[in-house]
Amino acid sequence: MSTQKAVGGKSKPSEPKAVHTRSQKAGLQFPVGRIHRYLKQRTQHNVRIGAKAAVYTSAILEYLTAEVLELAGNASKDLRVKRITPRHLQLAIRGDEELDTLVRATIAGGGVLPFIHKSLTINQNNKPIPINQPGGSSSGGGA
């Protein structure tokens, strides 16, 4: 008799393989399967959607989310608070030129960017123009 292992036939039941989602395979946090399902639901005329399209879309969404959250976290840290609010999101998106062109939407509760026109500010060298000058000709009344 030989001591070789038998090839073929039923083998002993081994441990079940670990389940790896498509997000884990791609190294992403966003759900690839769910985004693939949404892409298939939103197409017209039942067009086929490739598997890589969902992975690519998930990667783009994850990158944009991480970028916005990083900038909003920096804005909240500058204001010395620990919670990101819609105001911080607004400051982050409007402060970045590329995100500003990408997100052309109104953010509820975001407010506006602080801006004062240069003509309204007073320089150190120029004195403000007085409104009422005493002794000057006035257009109202008189005898």
Side-chain angles (χ1 to χ4, degrees), residues 9-132:
K10 286 189 175 182
S11 62
K12 294 181 182 177
S14 60
E15 295 181 17
K17 290 186 177 180
V19 178
H20 291 293
T21 63
R22 289 194 279 173
S23 298
Q24 290 173 340
K25 288 178 185 177
L28 298 172
Q29 299 297 317
F30 270 50
V32 174
R34 185 179 300 174
I35 290 176
H36 192 206
R37 186 178 76 232
Y38 290 159
L39 285 173
K40 289 194 293 186
Q41 286 174 356
R42 299 301 300 169
T43 58
Q44 296 177 354
H45 310 298
N46 291 330
V47 180
R48 293 171 63 171
I49 303 294
K52 291 179 184 176
V55 175
Y56 192 74
T57 306
S58 299
I60 291 171
L61 290 174
E62 185 173 323
Y63 171 73
L64 288 174
T65 304
E67 188 74 22
V68 169
L69 283 176
E70 180 184 356
L71 293 172
N74 293 342
S76 66
K77 193 179 289 186
D78 291 342
L79 297 173
R80 295 183 208 89
V81 292
K82 293 185 178 182
R83 184 173 294 170
I84 295 176
T85 63
R87 175 68 177 163
H88 302 136
L89 292 172
Q90 172 84 331
L91 292 173
I93 290 172
R94 301 299 170 228
D96 189 61
E97 184 179 340
E98 292 175 344
L99 283 175
D100 188 27
T101 57
L102 181 67
V103 181
R104 295 303 325 163
T106 303
I107 298 175
V112 296
L113 289 181
F115 177 74
I116 300 174
H117 197 272
K118 288 182 180 180
S119 64
L120 298 175
T121 59
I122 301 171
N123 287 339
Q124 297 290 338
N125 300 334
N126 299 336
K127 293 181 182 179
I129 302 171
I131 297 172
N132 294 340

